[in-house]
């Protein structure tokens, strides 16, 4: 069965960096070859929001709030999705989840998501 396991979260001061990883297993073929993958986050008391996504053709999309600071990428050999987060701000504090196989995921619309992980906490102070 499909599993997504995030790692790499932690506490960092404003202006710092973190790299999140998401190991994907259970799909046939390399990560994201036939489906979109991405990251979303949910801060305490707020609705979840899409952060970044990669479509099966390799095109990427970012939320306006993270453009120029976050970079999404994937390693096909390792079946791993990454989110490099630079210039972190306190408002980036949230639980971050990776997700796969949503019909509108590449547009950062979080409906009918196929799979998602358990999340990794990012705290920026």
């Amino acid at each position: 069965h499909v599993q997504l396991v995030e790692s790499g979260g932690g506490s960092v001061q404003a202006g710092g960096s973190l790299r999140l990883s998401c190991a994907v297993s259970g799909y046939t073929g390399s990560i994201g070859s036939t489906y979109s993958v991405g990251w979303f986050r949910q801060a305490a008391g707020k609705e979840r929001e899409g952060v970044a996504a990669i479509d099966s053709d390799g095109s990427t999309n970012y939320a306006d709030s993270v453009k120029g600071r976050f970079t999404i990428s994937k390693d096909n050999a390792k079946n791993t999705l990454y989110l490099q987060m630079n210039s972190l701000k306190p408002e980036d504090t949230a639980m971050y989840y990776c997700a796969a196989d949503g019909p509108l995921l590449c547009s950062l619309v979080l409906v009918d998501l196929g799979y998602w992980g358990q999340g990794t906490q990012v705290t920026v102070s």
Side-chain angles (χ1 to χ4, degrees), residues 54-104:
I54 297 182
D55 205 350
S56 55
D57 64 1
S59 59
T60 58
N61 192 20
Y62 295 90
D64 288 343
S65 58
V66 307
K67 280 180 182 176
R69 300 188 298 121
F70 291 11
T71 303
I72 189 171
S73 62
K74 56 183 180 177
D75 185 326
N76 290 340
K78 296 182 178 179
N79 271 342
T80 300
L81 179 70
Y82 300 101
L83 185 69
Q84 177 66 44
M85 305 186 296
N86 299 328
S87 303
L88 283 162
K89 304 175 180 180
E91 51 263 44
D92 294 318
T93 295
M95 185 73 80
Y96 283 72
Y97 302 84
C98 65
D101 204 6
L104 298 174

Side-chain angles (χ1 to χ4, degrees), residues 32-69:
S33 58
T34 59
Y35 53 93
S36 55
V37 287
W39 294 90
F40 67 93
R41 65 187 180 186
Q42 187 164 25
K46 295 187 178 181
E47 293 189 358
R48 61 183 188 176
E49 63 169 340
V51 175
I54 297 182
D55 205 350
S56 55
D57 64 1
S59 59
T60 58
N61 192 20
Y62 295 90
D64 288 343
S65 58
V66 307
K67 280 180 182 176
R69 300 188 298 121

